[in-house]
């Protein structure tokens, strides 16, 4: 990968880290806000001078249940954040592509929800072990999922599927969006440039990272106007 | 009689429910909406002095809702709810005419103070 492209990729990877951590921190803030109001309301109810409704057992029980749910929700979000952080521990590990895709979809879920797009997975039933860079895999898969989300209309579906194809492992992202396969093929083949239109340049940079992981990209037009991007990775990424 | 009418807009239903009840216990008339489209529909049905508006919501985002409120209900004062302070959304919101912003999780006394000032501004135009 040429030095300038490597530098551009580095900038985008850092941007990806920022985007994901900001999203997760926002989700945590929402759970804290619910906990905060629930506790506040419990205090308000207990301080009320209402002898007919004292103590307000059922209300307090409901609020405590809500707090417990939000604590569990927060714990799940922090777990995702922790897994994301640890994806940067080592540049080459033995991983299960299904788990990586699952992790990526969880990270992308909020972005899909904000655009009212349904994000679904269809994972291969058996583990798909490959030797690769966990962070960069997350980065490229997320990038293509995000692209599909951003060009999809409301209530549309983006589907992420894993499969084995001979000695290679595939991640297929299918969407009903407005950017067709021909355009995607052109964008991923283009030379990455800092001056390029955002989004278009991003795809070219993602393509370079896929290539560095030993992967290939195919864009196809499926039945019913579906767009399909197929990322194909080897069992072992090339080591430089 | 309630001091003023508030529309609370946030996609987190439990947050809206708990906060609405807390405000009602303090004598404030509260209505709520779980998304931007619902909020705009409520504003057609009824006048509100103050809107508490979450910035990040699915579908019609908070800033677009703010833009539409300032266009159709210029006297209604909007207080934004944001996860962080001086973000792009917070700054843009103030530029679009938001009265102020609050950072989640909110301090209810701080919120009450800002709502009171906002309601006063709404009435005096």
């Amino acid at each position: 990968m040429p030095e300038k492209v490597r530098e551009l990729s580095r900038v985008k990877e850092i941007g990806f880290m920022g985007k994901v951590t900001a999203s997760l921190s926002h989700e945590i803030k929402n759970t804290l806000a619910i906990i905060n109001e629930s506790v506040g309301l419990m205090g308000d109810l207990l301080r009320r001078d209402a002898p007919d409704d004292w103590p307000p057992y059922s209300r307090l029980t409901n609020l405590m249940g809500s707090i417990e749910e939000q604590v569990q929700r927060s714990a799940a979000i922090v777990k995702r954040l922790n897994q994301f952080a640890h994806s940067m521990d080592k540049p080459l590990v033995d991983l299960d592509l299904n788990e990586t895709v699952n992790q990526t979809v969880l990270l992308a879920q909020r972005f899909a929800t904000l655009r009212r797009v349904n994000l679904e997975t269809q994972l291969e039933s058996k583990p798909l072990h490959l030797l690769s860079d966990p962070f960069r895999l997350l980065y490229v898969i997320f990038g293509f999922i995000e692209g599909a989300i951003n060009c999809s209309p409301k209530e549309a579906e983006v589907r992420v599927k894993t499969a084995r194809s001979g000695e290679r492992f595939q991640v297929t992202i299918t969407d009903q969006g407005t950017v067709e396969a021909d355009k995607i093929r052109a964008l991923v083949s283009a030379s990455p440039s800092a001056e390029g239109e955002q989004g278009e340049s991003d795809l070219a940079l993602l393509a370079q990272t896929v290539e560095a992981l030993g992967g290939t990209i195919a864009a196809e037009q499926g039945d019913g106007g579906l767009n399909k991007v197929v990322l194909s990775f080897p069992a072992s990424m090339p080591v430089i | 009689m309630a001091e003023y009418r508030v529309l609370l807009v946030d996609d987190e239903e439990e947050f809206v429910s708990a906060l609405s009840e807390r405000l009602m216990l303090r004598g404030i008339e509260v209505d709520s909406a779980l998304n931007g489209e619902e909020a705009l529909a409520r504003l057609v049905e009824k006048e509100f002095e103050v809107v508490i508006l979450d910035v990040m919501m699915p579908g019609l985002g908070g800033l677009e809702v703010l833009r539409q409120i300032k266009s159709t209900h210029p006297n209604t004062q909007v207080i934004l709810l944001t996860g962080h302070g001086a973000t792009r959304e917070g700054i843009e919101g103030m530029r679009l005419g938001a009265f102020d912003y609050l950072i989640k999780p909110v301090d209810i006394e701080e919120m009450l103070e800002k709502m009171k000032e906002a309601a006063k501004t709404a009435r005096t135009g």
Side-chain angles (χ1 to χ4, degrees):
Chain A
M1 197 189 278
E3 185 55 39
K4 188 163 182 190
V5 172
R6 192 176 291 132
E7 185 53 39
L8 283 172
S9 278
R10 182 70 60 194
V11 168
K12 289 293 178 186
E13 285 170 9
I14 291 169
F16 165 60
M17 283 163 54
K19 181 184 292 188
V20 167
T21 50
S23 173
L24 291 171
S25 78
H26 193 100
E27 280 195 80
I28 292 170
K29 280 263 184 169
N30 278 342
T31 67
L32 288 173
I34 294 169
I35 291 168
N36 187 55
E37 293 314 317
S38 299
V39 167
L41 181 54
M42 287 169 75
D44 288 348
L45 292 171
L46 286 168
R47 279 187 288 268
R48 273 176 80 195
D49 187 20
D52 295 340
D53 182 30
W54 189 262
Y57 276 131
S58 67
R59 293 301 316 288
L60 292 179
T61 305
N62 288 343
L63 287 165
M64 286 192 293
S66 173
I67 290 167
E68 278 171 359
E69 277 174 22
Q70 295 306 316
V71 167
Q72 293 305 320
R73 186 180 158 197
S74 285
I77 296 165
V78 169
K79 184 180 172 188
R80 263 182 259 154
L81 180 59
N82 188 263
Q83 283 174 336
F84 179 64
H86 280 296
S87 72
M88 296 168 239
D89 285 351
K90 292 179 186 173
L92 191 67
V93 299
D94 181 357
L95 53 88
D96 177 3
L97 186 61
N98 284 331
E99 281 181 16
T100 301
V101 165
N102 204 43
Q103 186 185 357
T104 315
V105 165
L106 285 173
L107 294 176
Q109 186 56 64
R110 187 158 186 276
F111 297 89
T113 302
L114 284 171
R115 291 191 64 103
R116 291 198 175 138
V117 166
N118 302 312
L119 190 50
E120 300 288 339
T121 52
Q122 192 180 331
L123 303 180
E124 174 71 37
S125 55
K126 293 183 183 157
L128 301 173
H129 285 290
L130 65 155
L131 211 57
S132 192
D133 182 328
F135 172 73
R136 289 206 164 81
L137 262 185
L138 269 174
Y139 163 64
V140 298
I141 298 170
F142 182 95
F144 279 98
I145 292 174
E146 188 187 24
I149 290 168
N150 287 347
C151 72
S152 290
K154 270 195 286 191
E155 311 305 332
E157 183 182 277
V158 169
R159 183 170 285 269
V160 188
K161 183 180 165 189
T162 58
R164 187 183 191 116
S165 176
E167 294 302 306
R168 295 181 74 87
F169 304 101
Q170 291 179 339
V171 179
T172 303
I173 298 142
T174 311
D175 70 74
Q176 299 162 293
T178 54
V179 181
E180 293 185 354
D182 285 346
K183 172 94 177 173
I184 295 170
R185 268 196 290 274
L187 289 170
V188 300
S189 311
S191 294
S193 158
E195 289 80 34
E197 194 182 309
Q198 181 145 32
E200 296 190 352
S201 175
D202 289 353
L203 274 186
L205 281 169
L206 283 174
Q208 294 277 324
T209 305
V210 169
E211 193 182 326
L213 293 169
T216 58
I217 304 170
E220 305 163 13
Q221 205 71 39
D223 296 330
L226 290 176
N227 305 311
K228 224 192 252 188
V229 168
V230 184
L231 308 175
S232 173
F233 298 100
S236 184
M237 71 172 254
V239 178
I240 301 165
Chain B
M1 188 175 143
E3 286 186 55
Y4 47 85
R5 282 182 300 272
V6 173
L7 177 63
L8 178 53
V9 188
D10 194 296
D11 60 302
E12 294 278 358
E13 195 168 350
E14 287 178 74
F15 171 76
V16 165
S17 171
L19 182 53
S20 293
E21 191 165 351
R22 297 190 75 193
L23 294 175
M24 285 190 285
L25 285 170
R26 286 159 173 81
I28 294 162
E29 186 180 329
V30 183
D31 207 339
S32 62
L34 297 178
N35 58 61
E37 293 90 344
E38 209 181 308
L40 294 171
R42 288 272 186 283
L43 282 157
V44 169
E45 293 161 8
K46 211 192 254 188
E47 287 284 332
F48 294 92
E49 282 89 349
V50 182
V51 176
I52 305 288
L53 176 62
D54 186 26
V55 168
M56 296 284 268
M57 292 188 293
L60 201 61
L63 292 184
E64 181 52 35
V65 174
L66 168 63
R67 200 177 278 121
Q68 293 195 33
I69 292 173
K70 294 319 284 182
S71 162
T72 54
H73 299 82
N75 288 338
T76 298
Q77 299 302 313
V78 178
I79 299 172
L80 296 174
L81 281 180
T82 166
H84 306 281
T87 57
R88 189 179 55 213
E89 288 82 14
I91 294 165
E92 178 67 7
M94 297 308 290
R95 197 188 66 76
L96 288 171
F99 180 80
D100 206 333
Y101 65 85
L102 288 161
I103 301 170
K104 285 178 172 181
V106 296
D107 177 277
I108 197 162
E109 297 305 323
E110 186 188 354
M111 177 182 263
L112 288 168
E113 201 49 53
K114 291 199 181 190
M115 287 198 311
K116 202 170 168 183
E117 288 166 24
K120 196 173 165 188
T121 303
R123 286 197 197 109
T124 54

